[in-house]
Amino acid sequence: MQLLDGTACSQQIRKEIATEVEALITQGKRAPHLAAVLVGDDGASQNYVGMKVRDCEEVGFGSTTIRLDANTTEDELLAKIAELNAYDGIDGFIVQLPLPPQIDENKVILAIDPSKDVDGFCPENVGNLSLGLPTFISATPNGIMELLRRYKVETEGKHCVVLGRSNIVGTPMAVLMSRNTNPGNATVTIAHSRTKNLKEVCLSADILIVAIGKTEFVTADMVKPGAVVIDVGQTRVPDSSRKSGFRNVGDVDFENVKDKCSYITYVTGGVGPMTRASLLQNTLKACQRRSNS
Ligand code: NAP
């Protein structure tokens, strides 16, 4: 079994990005700038945004965090998005999900200018992804593709089962794995909560990508010997032995599954750092596009 090390891989990507930022500065251009909008005080969301800001600092990007009260109305948030769309000093921005219940996430996603949608969530970018056109690919599936690419994991002709069909992970992941690219060219099955014989479906996977948000759902008896297993799941569970009071648990029973796999990711240091690296790649791309247009 080989661990797919997202931390090491993302460090390499950050180095590459920092070099590109230096080149932009040498050409007399400004550094890329990412803004993050955080609505409310959800602990996990604050943590994610904090990490994204630190990543920006590390590679030489500018960053802005916009903190809005948990009672912010939909109209107030849409007005802030219109401001960010119009402001030239920002290349890309994200609105950290989930949002409070009074705000319709879909309306928010639709309001973001596609050229600044570095999360790759808006219809134009999702459509371009499906058509194989240049786009901002949603950060988590893009990070997984990059991990497979850098570890030279063979995917062509393999049966890939993607467990979970969300708009931001499962569905774009399935599209990417089925495309005529490397990695890609896999035969893809999307499984979800209504899939029958889920255990058998998972057992048929050469590559199993799990994004359901159910702790340790995938057990050893669901994994084919030699399979590649990518665990996207990240659920906070209380843990009084930790200073933070919680720990993250993945969707895969890592301890019992790992010895059956050819490659596997762990909940910590796997997909998470790759997702953050992808956001930086998208922001750099947004900046380069804007400076070339
Ligand atoms: P989501 O929007 O809640 O979607 C979950 C998907 O899993 C749905 O398609 C659902 O099926 C399916 N599902 C739920 N229970 C199932 C079951 N028992 N059997 C089969 N399928 C089941 O979740 P998401 O946003 O894709 O996130 C999934 C997980 O990945 C979460 O733990 C999240 O925190 C994590 N995540 C991690 C990163 C990272 O960077 N590491 C990034 C994004 C997400 P239905 O469609 O039928 O309801």
Side-chain angles (χ1 to χ4, degrees):
M1 177 277 290
Q2 184 172 2
L3 193 67
L4 295 169
D5 186 343
T7 302
C9 206
S10 70
Q11 269 163 0
Q12 179 58 33
I13 294 169
R14 287 203 294 270
K15 264 192 210 154
E16 292 162 12
I17 293 174
T19 306
E20 297 222 33
V21 174
E22 279 167 22
L24 284 172
I25 307 289
T26 308
Q27 292 160 28
K29 295 177 179 165
R30 67 164 175 76
H33 195 116
L34 174 73
V37 183
L38 183 58
V39 188
D41 45 22
D42 175 70
S45 294
Q46 289 190 358
N47 199 17
Y48 293 143
V49 168
M51 288 193 287
K52 289 167 188 174
V53 167
R54 282 197 296 280
D55 290 342
C56 285
E57 284 165 5
E58 191 189 317
V59 298
F61 287 7
S63 71
T64 303
T65 306
I66 298 152
R67 291 172 198 280
L68 301 176
D69 191 85
N71 296 321
T72 301
T73 65
E74 190 175 276
D75 283 347
E76 285 166 341
L77 179 56
L78 292 175
K80 181 51 76 183
I81 290 172
E83 228 178 80
L84 293 170
N85 283 341
Y87 180 47
D88 251 354
I90 281 171
D91 300 297
F93 65 95
I94 59 157
V95 179
Q96 185 65 44
L97 302 177
L99 291 167
Q102 72 275 17
I103 300 175
D104 179 344
E105 277 183 13
N106 283 330
K107 277 196 191 165
V108 169
I109 289 168
L110 284 169
I112 299 173
D113 178 340
S115 73
K116 292 192 174 187
D117 169 37
V118 286
D119 256 340
F121 291 169
C122 79
E124 184 174 320
N125 286 321
V126 175
N128 285 341
L129 168 67
S130 301
L131 296 172
L133 297 171
T135 188
F136 297 119
I137 300 173
S138 177
T140 300
N142 197 38
I144 293 168
M145 294 301 276
E146 194 72 43
L147 197 58
L148 296 172
R149 183 178 301 119
R150 289 184 184 234
Y151 273 90
K152 298 188 170 50
V153 174
E154 198 164 317
T155 60
E156 183 170 319
K158 304 288 182 190
H159 182 211
C160 174
V161 173
V162 180
L163 188 45
R165 57 177 165 186
S166 71
N167 288 342
I168 63 171
V169 187
T171 298
M173 192 71 242
V175 171
L176 287 167
M177 287 299 281
S178 67
R179 285 232 309 256
N180 184 3
T181 53
N182 182 22
N185 275 324
T187 304
V188 179
T189 300
I190 305 183
H192 44 76
S193 68
R194 312 294 171 89
T195 298
K196 291 203 166 44
N197 306 322
L198 193 58
K199 180 179 163 186
E200 285 68 31
V201 172
C202 290
L203 265 172
S204 71
D206 303 306
I207 302 169
L208 180 60
I209 302 177
V210 192
I212 59 174
K214 298 272 183 292
T215 55
E216 297 183 339
F217 181 91
V218 171
T219 46
D221 59 339
M222 296 168 78
V223 176
K224 184 200 260 191
V228 177
V229 175
I230 307 288
D231 188 358
V232 184
Q234 201 170 292
T235 304
R236 276 186 173 197
V237 301
D239 184 344
S240 56
S241 71
R242 305 273 173 112
K243 200 171 144 204
S244 61
F246 71 86
R247 72 194 149 89
N248 283 316
V249 178
D251 288 344
V252 175
D253 175 8
F254 181 84
E255 278 311 316
N256 293 306
V257 166
K258 66 180 190 327
D259 293 329
K260 286 190 89 173
C261 301
S262 54
Y263 295 94
I264 189 168
T265 63
Y266 183 56
V267 59
T268 313
V271 173
M274 292 305 292
T275 298
R276 285 157 50 199
S278 279
L279 181 65
L280 295 174
Q281 286 177 317
N282 277 350
T283 306
L284 175 65
K285 197 197 280 185
C287 176
Q288 289 168 332
R289 278 191 191 170
R290 286 161 66 76
S291 71
N292 293 333
S293 65

